[in-house]
Amino acid sequence: MADDGRLTLCSFVVFLTLSCVLGQTPVVLWHGMGDSCCNPLSMGSIKGLIEKQVSKVYVKSLEIGDNIEEDTINGFFLNANTQISMVCEMLAKDSKLQNGYNAIGFSQGGQFLRAVAQRCPNPPMINLISVGGQHQGVYGFPRCPGVNETLCDEVRRLLNLGAYIDAIQDRLVQAEYWHDPMNEDEYRKKSIFLADINQENKMNATYKTNLLKVKNIALVKFLDDGMVQPRDSEWFGFYNPGQAKTVYNLTQSKLYTQDLLGLKQMNEAGRLHFLASPGDHLQFTEEWFISNIVNKFLK
Ligand SMILES: *[C@@H]1O[C@H](CO)[C@@H](O)[C@H](O)[C@H]1NC(C)=O
Ligand SMILES: *[C@@H]1O[C@H](CO)[C@@H](O)[C@H](O)[C@H]1NC(C)=O
Ligand SMILES: *[C@@H]1O[C@H](CO)[C@@H](O)[C@H](O)[C@H]1NC(C)=O
């Protein structure tokens, strides 16, 4: 009898452990510029929302640095390649993520998490959701988010000085995805981050192999985005070279036609999702987020 009791208890424990292990896929969030891991009005509320909608899910909101202030400042002044290496290490060390995770990047966090997928396939990223990410970079920040005007003024000052100056590339995050359509050659040669992950400079076949391991990529574009120029960048579109009015889209780009990252293959397999949200940059409603992101990609 005692043995049976133990056996039952044991199976129950095994069942619980298994449902924990095989339970909801964890979620990793990467905040945008001017924001931090744990702002109760942004990432904090998203984390809470996901936890409420997906029971028992583990949500990790990435903090780049040792505290919230460092995290915010690093979003402007810590080399993006360094940030991505730091995140790869954090993810590899987190035992709860080892069976895979879904990733949601907000604004610049979108292109950063794509870089994580391309450079660091372990632990495996299952779905990648980019919310207002700038996958072909930006050529203009009409407005700067966040509350700190001092930081925004410094970003503008440095970009005006010259985004492709080596010293600025090394330390200004926004210069590292600054894409000047009047100077495509310089961009290709000098951009230490975006040109690299978009296979514009040297080709790295591993980037394609790794990105193809992601099951689904969802790209959210804000239809009235007043912060990202051009907003088409959120779907991998950009200005045609030599001007800043007309744009091309992903399907028309070399990245796609030569399938340098596997996006064509993914699109043809129905694994690439173009989502549109009404409103300005990151101004989605809770209902929109639940029905388009949580229910489709996190459950
Ligand atoms: C290609 O990318 C992988 C993953 O980041 C890296 O380990 C490798 O060194 C890169 N290869 C080249 C030639 O840069
Ligand atoms: C803005 O950031 C700067 C540089 O980190 C800091 O010195 C300043 O106190 C911040 N201002 C506000 C209003 O938070
Ligand atoms: C790009 O534009 C072409 C021509 O208008 C269209 O057929 C295609 O679906 C568009 N692709 C994307 C990704 O929007």
Side-chain angles (χ1 to χ4, degrees):
M1 286 305 277
D3 275 358
D4 280 348
R6 256 201 307 267
L7 194 65
T8 312
L9 180 65
C10 191
S11 328
F12 186 60
V13 170
V14 167
F15 169 75
L16 277 185
T17 314
L18 267 180
S19 45
C20 288
V21 172
L22 304 174
Q24 299 297 350
T25 303
V27 179
V28 170
L29 309 176
W30 196 334
H31 63 78
M33 155 176 134
D35 202 1
S36 71
C37 62
C38 310
N39 181 345
L41 296 177
S42 60
M43 292 304 106
S45 79
I46 298 282
K47 182 172 185 285
L49 177 65
I50 296 170
E51 286 165 345
K52 204 168 112 197
Q53 295 293 320
V54 188
S55 78
K56 304 224 172 62
V57 71
Y58 169 60
V59 182
K60 184 188 190 79
S61 183
L62 294 166
E63 180 175 44
I64 315 297
D66 291 331
N67 53 55
I68 289 178
E69 202 197 347
E70 258 183 55
D71 187 18
T72 309
I73 293 174
N74 285 340
F76 295 94
F77 301 116
L78 181 64
N79 187 305
N81 293 324
T82 307
Q83 295 193 49
I84 283 142
S85 304
M86 286 167 68
V87 166
C88 289
E89 208 172 301
M90 282 190 245
L91 301 181
K93 274 206 259 185
D94 188 330
S95 59
K96 298 196 192 77
L97 302 177
Q98 300 314 303
N99 292 324
Y101 64 95
N102 291 320
I104 313 182
F106 296 84
S107 202
Q108 68 184 16
Q111 59 265 34
F112 294 171
L113 280 170
R114 174 163 63 88
V116 169
Q118 292 176 205
R119 291 178 183 168
C120 309
N122 296 306
M125 188 186 291
I126 298 174
N127 292 327
L128 169 62
I129 296 126
S130 159
V131 184
Q134 301 101 41
H135 294 278
Q136 279 294 353
V138 292
Y139 186 52
F141 279 116
R143 287 186 292 107
C144 191
V147 288
N148 196 322
E149 280 300 320
T150 320
L151 289 171
C152 285
D153 289 345
E154 180 64 3
V155 169
R156 290 210 181 83
R157 190 182 71 81
L158 291 171
L159 287 173
N160 286 334
L161 222 55
Y164 301 129
I165 294 170
D166 292 342
I168 293 179
Q169 277 289 311
D170 277 346
R171 64 176 279 236
L172 180 64
V173 170
Q174 289 68 38
E176 295 157 6
Y177 58 86
W178 189 255
H179 188 165
D180 183 346
M182 313 294 178
N183 292 292
E184 288 282 349
D185 280 344
E186 210 187 351
Y187 157 71
R188 271 195 281 275
K189 279 188 222 130
K190 295 289 192 173
S191 164
I192 61 163
F193 170 69
L194 193 69
D196 177 70
I197 63 161
N198 283 357
Q199 310 272 42
E200 295 270 16
N201 194 349
K202 284 176 304 196
M203 262 295 288
N204 186 334
T206 308
Y207 284 173
K208 177 174 175 176
T209 312
N210 286 346
L211 197 61
L212 277 168
K213 293 179 180 160
V214 176
K215 243 191 219 163
N216 292 286
I217 298 181
L219 302 167
V220 179
K221 176 168 92 171
F222 290 92
L223 295 173
D224 296 311
D225 200 315
M227 217 198 78
V228 171
Q229 280 181 340
R231 60 179 75 115
D232 311 71
S233 183
E234 296 170 9
W235 281 359
F236 276 92
F238 206 68
Y239 294 122
N240 287 306
Q243 50 84 62
K245 276 204 178 85
T246 66
V247 294
Y248 61 86
N249 70 21
L250 175 63
T251 322
Q252 297 156 334
S253 68
K254 180 177 137 196
L255 189 68
Y256 191 87
T257 53
Q258 298 186 8
D259 209 13
L260 303 178
L261 279 180
L263 293 170
K264 182 166 192 265
Q265 192 177 322
M266 290 186 91
N267 195 28
E268 287 167 356
R271 293 158 58 200
L272 186 60
H273 309 264
F274 298 92
L275 309 182
S277 169
D280 201 349
H281 197 59
L282 304 187
Q283 300 305 304
F284 51 84
T285 63
E286 216 175 273
E287 295 70 37
W288 186 90
F289 191 77
I290 293 169
S291 65
N292 290 279
I293 306 295
V294 178
N295 292 346
K296 296 219 174 99
F297 297 103
L298 306 184
K299 283 185 172 168

